[in-house]
Amino acid sequence: MNPLVSILIPTYNRPDYFEQALKSALAQTYPNIEVVVSDNSETNATELVVQKYQAMPGGSRIRYVRNAQNIGPIANQQQALNMAYGEFVNYLMDDDLFHPQKIEKMMAYMLQYPDVTLVTSQRRVVNSKGNQLYVPPIGTFKLLYPKDTVVDGRILTKRLLEDKTNYLGEPTTVLFRRKDLVEPFGMLLGRQVYFAVDLASWLNLLDRGRGVYMVQPLSYLRYHSQQLSQHEMAKTVAKMDVETFKNFAVQKGYATPQMIKDFEKQQEKKNEQPKQQKSNQKTIQLIDQKLLQDTVQKTFIKLVSNVKPSVIPIPYVKQNGKKKKKKKG
């Protein structure tokens, strides 16, 4: 019999997005799942959505609890995990979506490799209306490997720490083995992480085994203005986690205190370079504007045609099958 997989949906005041997420969970081709919903909402709108789907065929797979009061996002995620019965777990944030074969494809690796503690994949980004957005393959969306790859946990952890980038993705993206998460979700060596909650647990899991990176996108991350990561205080909260990750790196032998100090000095020097590039770019733009009013415009263009100032490409948004530049601001 296929092992039970718990799909956990912690939710708060998003009944419309939540319903879409719930539908994607129930549409999984993997045959043995349960859906655990931990509801922080202030109204019963989400509860009514749950009741509707519980009354449908297969609705008995849904287990639901509504908190008497808002316990906060981190406690809500941890509560959902405490409620889970599954040997394997995959969070599904209430505004994200699963590919129908996500659990099935990831479980194939879990069953094949007993020492694998987590499986992740590439993911795609959608907007508030569910339309896919083009996101450059850089930063957290960088393609780590050209094909599905089983990776030693320490090798993967080293890369995450050195690049200071969560290549593995958000809670929605990763399927993990329940017994290998030895601390509550979002804790790292006894310390609570407040922003990069997911990364804390991925490091925790990789400390106990290998990971699998899949190239096929199997989840959809939704970008919208109500995301916690888009909140004006997000950067401030993220700074609270820095010491926790430094402590992990030292305790687990990935770095020494001196190595961290040297690395931070290098980063400070790198951060000074974009300021100069921005100043140079602005100067070129001012010259360009001046010469546009002059009869020597063509001569100027010829002279600077080989000058390529360092600029960040503007993201593109797919609309009606075409690529369109996203307006700044």
Side-chain angles (χ1 to χ4, degrees):
M1 184 176 177
N2 296 298
L4 178 65
V5 176
S6 297
I7 299 174
L8 313 182
I9 311 181
T11 186
Y12 173 71
N13 287 355
R14 291 174 182 161
D16 294 335
Y17 285 157
F18 166 78
E19 182 169 7
Q20 295 175 46
L22 179 61
K23 288 171 68 174
S24 76
L26 295 173
Q28 290 301 297
T29 56
Y30 185 79
N32 192 18
I33 65 167
E34 66 166 1
V35 180
V36 177
V37 181
S38 184
D39 186 7
N40 249 354
S41 300
E42 298 165 341
T43 71
N44 68 340
T46 299
E47 184 174 9
L48 293 175
V49 172
V50 170
Q51 290 175 352
K52 179 175 73 172
Y53 284 87
Q54 284 179 325
M56 295 180 180
S60 60
R61 295 178 295 173
I62 306 171
R63 292 195 293 117
Y64 172 84
V65 63
R66 182 177 173 192
N67 301 320
Q69 60 184 10
N70 187 341
I71 60 176
I74 295 176
N76 204 32
Q77 290 174 6
Q78 293 172 345
Q79 175 173 275
L81 182 58
N82 291 336
M83 293 171 59
Y85 294 146
E87 183 180 345
F88 299 89
V89 173
N90 204 137
Y91 278 94
L92 172 56
M93 297 296 96
D94 62 357
D95 48 357
D96 294 343
L97 301 167
F98 277 174
H99 183 287
Q101 293 180 297
K102 181 186 197 299
I103 301 300
E104 179 185 357
K105 287 180 176 290
M106 290 188 166
M107 279 300 297
Y109 282 111
M110 281 294 194
L111 298 176
Q112 184 178 356
Y113 300 105
D115 63 332
V116 163
T117 58
L118 66 79
V119 181
T120 191
S121 75
Q122 285 208 91
R123 68 271 199 218
R124 292 292 180 254
V125 177
V126 297
N127 63 15
S128 59
K129 295 181 180 180
N131 298 320
Q132 187 171 315
L133 304 178
Y134 172 74
V135 177
I138 58 177
T140 183
F141 294 100
K142 180 179 180 179
L143 179 64
L144 287 187
Y145 303 97
K147 61 180 181 180
D148 289 7
T149 305
V150 182
V151 191
D152 180 83
R154 287 194 65 86
I155 292 175
L156 197 49
T157 295
K158 186 173 184 289
R159 186 163 187 181
L160 296 173
L161 292 173
E162 287 183 347
D163 294 354
K164 296 195 295 185
T165 302
N166 180 8
Y167 294 120
L168 304 187
E170 302 71 29
T172 295
T173 317
V174 174
L175 172 75
F176 62 90
R177 202 180 297 268
R178 171 78 177 276
K179 70 179 180 64
D180 290 318
L181 187 63
V182 295
E183 294 187 85
F185 193 78
M187 293 196 71
L188 192 60
L189 297 182
R191 299 185 181 188
Q192 180 64 59
V193 171
Y194 297 98
F195 185 76
V197 179
D198 42 17
L199 179 58
S201 289
W202 306 159
L203 296 180
N204 214 322
L205 288 158
L206 290 172
D207 192 46
R208 296 177 61 82
R210 296 192 292 173
V212 175
Y213 181 89
M214 300 180 66
V215 297
Q216 180 184 356
L218 292 174
S219 59
Y220 302 89
L221 170 67
R222 194 187 300 269
Y223 274 5
H224 59 92
S225 60
Q226 297 178 352
Q227 281 178 302
L228 287 177
S229 59
Q230 304 298 320
H231 194 276
E232 60 183 7
M233 292 296 292
K235 290 184 178 180
T236 301
V237 175
K239 291 179 181 178
M240 297 167 60
D241 297 339
V242 172
E243 293 303 319
T244 298
F245 288 108
K246 286 182 184 178
N247 176 64
F248 176 85
V250 172
Q251 293 297 322
K252 294 297 181 177
Y254 292 99
T256 64
Q258 186 59 49
M259 288 171 63
I260 292 175
K261 288 181 180 179
D262 293 342
F263 177 80
E264 289 175 340
K265 287 181 180 179
Q266 292 175 0
Q267 291 300 110
E268 288 177 5
K269 291 181 180 179
K270 286 183 179 180
N271 291 336
E272 292 174 359
Q273 294 176 2
K275 294 179 181 178
Q276 184 62 43
Q277 291 173 352
K278 187 175 181 180
S279 177
N280 292 342
Q281 184 184 344
K282 186 175 181 180
T283 301
I284 292 173
Q285 289 173 344
L286 289 173
I287 294 172
D288 193 19
Q289 290 172 6
K290 176 68 176 176
L291 290 173
L292 281 174
Q293 304 168 9
D294 197 281
T295 56
V296 296
Q297 177 187 359
K298 292 183 180 179
T299 303
F300 171 75
I301 292 174
K302 184 177 180 181
L303 288 172
V304 301
S305 60
N306 293 324
V307 178
K308 296 180 180 179
S310 176
V311 296
I312 300 174
I314 300 173
Y316 286 80
V317 179
K318 283 188 176 180
Q319 293 182 357
N320 300 324
K322 297 181 179 180
K323 287 184 178 180
K324 182 178 180 182
K325 282 190 176 181
K326 187 176 180 182
K327 295 181 180 179
K328 292 183 178 180

